[in-house]
Amino acid sequence: MKVAFDLRTLQIGHQYRGIGICLQNILTQLQKNSDQIKHWELVFYLYENHQVPTILNDYNISHRIINTKEILPPHDRLKPVRYLKKLYSSWRKANSINHLPEIKHIDVFVQFDFLLGVPNHPGVKNALIKYDLIPLIFEEYYLPTFSQTWTYTRSVMAAAKGQFHRSRYFWHLRKSLQRTDLVLAISEHTKHDLVNYLNVDEQKIKPLLLAADELMSVTRNEPKDKLFWSLDWRFIPSQRRYRSLSIKDKPYILYIGGVDPRRRIQDLILSYNLLRAEGIDCALVLAGYDLQDLETIPNEDVREALKCSSYSDNIYLLGFVTPEEKKLLYQNAVAFVYPTLYEGFGLPVLEAMQQGCPVVCYNNPSLAEVVGGAALYANVAEDIAFIIKRLLVDKNLRKQTISAGKKQAKKFSWQRTTSKFIELIESLESKR
């Protein structure tokens, strides 16, 4: 059985996002469990002029790489011509999946990124991993209509560009779902959304629950309590200075993740302000690629919340943190707070529980499916402040929450995910 994986998603910036993490972990587990796929012939599609993904450097199970050319956007001096060419190249890119070399000889094609498309060949069975419907559910933030963009920008060009991206996104999504024989939803919640929002046939959707990565221990020479650096961003650039953050100086609340509107980081900052106003001496640590400096934060509400906080001297922006730094942060935090309104799965909360960090999160179906009864749930910022206060004074509550979290985290593993993945791909072949 020839099973093809579209690894081009690892060459276009997704290797560090949820898409890439899921793909790389499944590839790793397939290598560890090669006996289960002895009758598979693995085929990997890659762009020929891009760097080969690092995971393939030591990939020792038999596989074949097929290179394909990337369709690049045009460069034309005349804007109208450039946009027309871009529209045409986008259409070509959307259909290029059907012209991949040797595609008609593939038995099962596995796609981790629907924007790269799935082939439309009668002899090829398709499996598509679907993570969430966030751009659809929060479309005013992620895929605004022409009128919504026009209201904010008063720019016809910006509104037209936004409408183009919106139309392209939904065209890709619907085409991919129509052509797919098996949709692997990363949670029951995502399956529910696919049925309710897009009327996808429930029979072809199967849950494929994810897992958290095993984080490495700190191996560098610096003292364990002096690993993190934060920018003192007190408004005047010339006054900025780097300073070390000792995780043993005082208790700290932790957030790691993105800053898009659904994450509601401003609610976390408000809850921190409430705690400090009550005289509770603690710090707030915010980590993630966009959280390296005030100016790098693309969310205006979060920037304003930081600027207006009376306690900003004790709010640390760490930016991107390495796996070993992340592990240490989890293990020493009072709590990991994740005030998101919606997730497809919620890997950070699982990661935190795995490392023995109490989780405080908003009560929504996607997170409840992952954390079960092992988290402390909140509905508003005031709830977060109250729960953190309890964790600081009630050692039994903290101990019970940590224990419940570790127990819950053991229910998820990439080994289990990959075994289920193999089973579902085998089921496609049996239907041929």
Side-chain angles (χ1 to χ4, degrees):
M1 178 171 74
K2 290 185 180 180
V3 181
F5 288 76
D6 195 343
L7 300 195
R8 295 177 300 166
T9 191
L10 299 178
Q11 297 176 301
I12 56 175
H14 293 321
Q15 60 269 37
Y16 302 117
R17 298 180 61 227
I19 294 173
I21 290 169
C22 176
L23 171 52
Q24 290 173 99
N25 274 290
I26 287 178
L27 288 176
T28 299
Q29 291 299 324
L30 287 177
Q31 184 172 236
K32 290 179 180 178
N33 299 275
S34 56
D35 287 347
Q36 297 183 49
I37 56 168
K38 286 188 292 187
H39 58 293
W40 288 19
E41 181 184 339
L42 291 179
V43 177
F44 298 147
Y45 281 99
L46 292 170
Y47 283 128
E48 62 182 6
N49 295 323
H50 286 250
Q51 186 176 356
V52 174
T54 54
I55 191 169
L56 296 183
N57 290 343
D58 300 310
Y59 208 69
N60 54 28
I61 53 174
S62 178
H63 64 276
R64 190 157 56 94
I65 292 176
I66 299 179
N67 288 309
T68 182
K69 291 184 179 180
E70 181 181 14
I71 297 174
L72 298 172
H75 296 282
D76 198 289
R77 290 185 179 182
L78 297 174
K79 272 192 175 182
V81 175
R82 185 165 71 244
Y83 280 114
L84 284 172
K85 285 185 176 180
K86 192 172 183 179
L87 186 65
Y88 175 64
S89 70
S90 182
W91 178 83
R92 285 181 61 215
K93 193 172 184 178
N95 288 279
S96 64
I97 192 78
N98 294 313
H99 304 290
L100 290 176
E102 303 182 39
I103 190 66
K104 63 182 179 181
H105 302 301
I106 299 299
D107 295 311
V108 179
F109 186 89
V110 185
Q111 182 58 273
F112 285 75
D113 181 2
F114 77 90
L115 286 172
L116 289 173
V118 294
N120 190 27
H121 282 273
V124 180
K125 293 288 185 181
N126 294 307
L128 172 69
I129 287 75
K130 196 72 192 79
Y131 307 89
D132 56 62
L133 294 182
I134 290 168
L136 176 59
I137 296 169
F138 296 94
E139 60 178 15
E140 68 273 21
Y141 298 124
Y142 299 93
L143 294 169
T145 62
F146 183 96
S147 60
Q148 286 171 332
T149 307
W150 163 254
T151 301
Y152 288 121
T153 65
R154 295 296 173 184
S155 166
V156 173
M157 187 61 71
K161 190 176 180 181
Q163 183 63 47
F164 169 73
H165 287 303
R166 175 187 171 88
S167 300
R168 183 180 64 173
Y169 178 91
F170 285 117
W171 187 88
H172 274 288
L173 180 59
R174 291 192 174 94
K175 278 292 179 186
S176 295
L177 289 170
Q178 286 170 8
R179 294 174 178 176
T180 296
D181 302 283
L182 173 66
V183 181
L184 301 174
I186 64 169
S187 65
E188 289 284 354
H189 181 66
T190 296
K191 176 180 178 179
H192 180 268
D193 282 350
L194 285 166
V195 174
N196 284 347
Y197 284 93
L198 295 171
N199 297 315
V200 180
D201 182 4
E202 189 173 358
Q203 298 302 313
K204 73 175 184 180
I205 308 174
K206 303 296 179 185
L208 183 72
L209 302 183
L210 305 186
D213 286 349
E214 285 290 339
L215 298 176
M216 301 299 291
S217 297
V218 175
T219 56
R220 54 184 74 184
N221 295 325
E222 295 97 322
K224 286 188 176 181
D225 62 341
K226 291 286 183 182
L227 273 178
F228 309 107
W229 293 83
S230 177
L231 198 59
D232 185 3
W233 43 261
R234 294 299 296 171
F235 315 134
I236 301 174
S238 62
Q239 291 182 353
R240 290 179 178 167
R241 59 186 174 83
Y242 280 98
R243 62 187 179 192
S244 63
L245 162 66
S246 171
I247 60 176
K248 292 181 180 177
D249 281 346
K250 63 177 66 177
Y252 66 89
I253 305 158
L254 176 65
Y255 171 84
I256 301 176
V259 297
D260 39 329
R262 65 190 165 90
R263 296 279 168 76
R264 300 296 301 178
I265 300 175
Q266 61 268 33
D267 290 3
L268 173 55
I269 297 167
L270 173 57
S271 67
Y272 175 68
N273 292 340
L274 294 172
L275 282 169
R276 292 300 303 272
E278 288 189 39
I280 297 172
D281 188 19
C282 60
L284 175 60
V285 174
L286 305 175
Y289 180 79
D290 289 323
L291 289 162
Q292 51 193 295
D293 191 2
L294 192 63
E295 284 74 26
T296 68
I297 298 173
N299 187 323
E300 185 178 349
D301 291 333
V302 176
R303 287 200 308 272
E304 286 302 310
L306 287 168
K307 285 181 182 179
C308 295
S309 174
S310 301
Y311 310 99
S312 54
D313 280 340
N314 290 120
I315 299 178
Y316 295 85
L317 304 177
L318 300 193
F320 175 79
V321 289
T322 64
E324 64 257 29
E325 290 171 339
K326 190 189 293 187
K327 182 184 182 83
L328 194 56
L329 282 170
Y330 281 135
Q331 291 178 341
N332 289 276
V334 172
F336 175 72
V337 182
Y338 206 56
T340 182
L341 299 177
Y342 179 97
E343 292 291 314
F345 184 77
L347 281 176
V349 294
L350 189 58
E351 211 170 51
M353 291 191 301
Q354 189 182 72
Q355 298 303 321
C357 183
V359 169
V360 181
C361 63
Y362 277 169
N363 191 0
N364 57 65
S366 53
L367 290 185
E369 186 178 340
V370 176
V371 300
L376 299 171
Y377 291 106
N379 293 306
V380 292
E382 290 78 6
D383 293 347
I384 296 173
F386 176 74
I387 293 169
I388 297 297
K389 188 176 178 181
R390 286 183 61 202
L391 285 169
L392 283 166
V393 299
D394 190 340
K395 292 184 179 179
N396 285 332
L397 174 63
R398 177 177 169 75
K399 186 177 179 181
Q400 290 168 8
T401 307
I402 290 173
S403 176
K406 286 184 174 181
K407 185 177 179 180
Q408 178 70 10
K410 287 179 180 178
K411 296 178 182 178
F412 302 85
S413 72
W414 285 113
Q415 165 100 32
R416 195 169 297 152
T417 299
T418 307
S419 293
K420 183 67 175 178
F421 173 80
I422 293 170
E423 176 190 322
L424 291 169
I425 296 301
E426 297 276 4
S427 71
L428 272 181
E429 174 61 15
S430 66
K431 294 176 182 177
R432 290 176 61 82

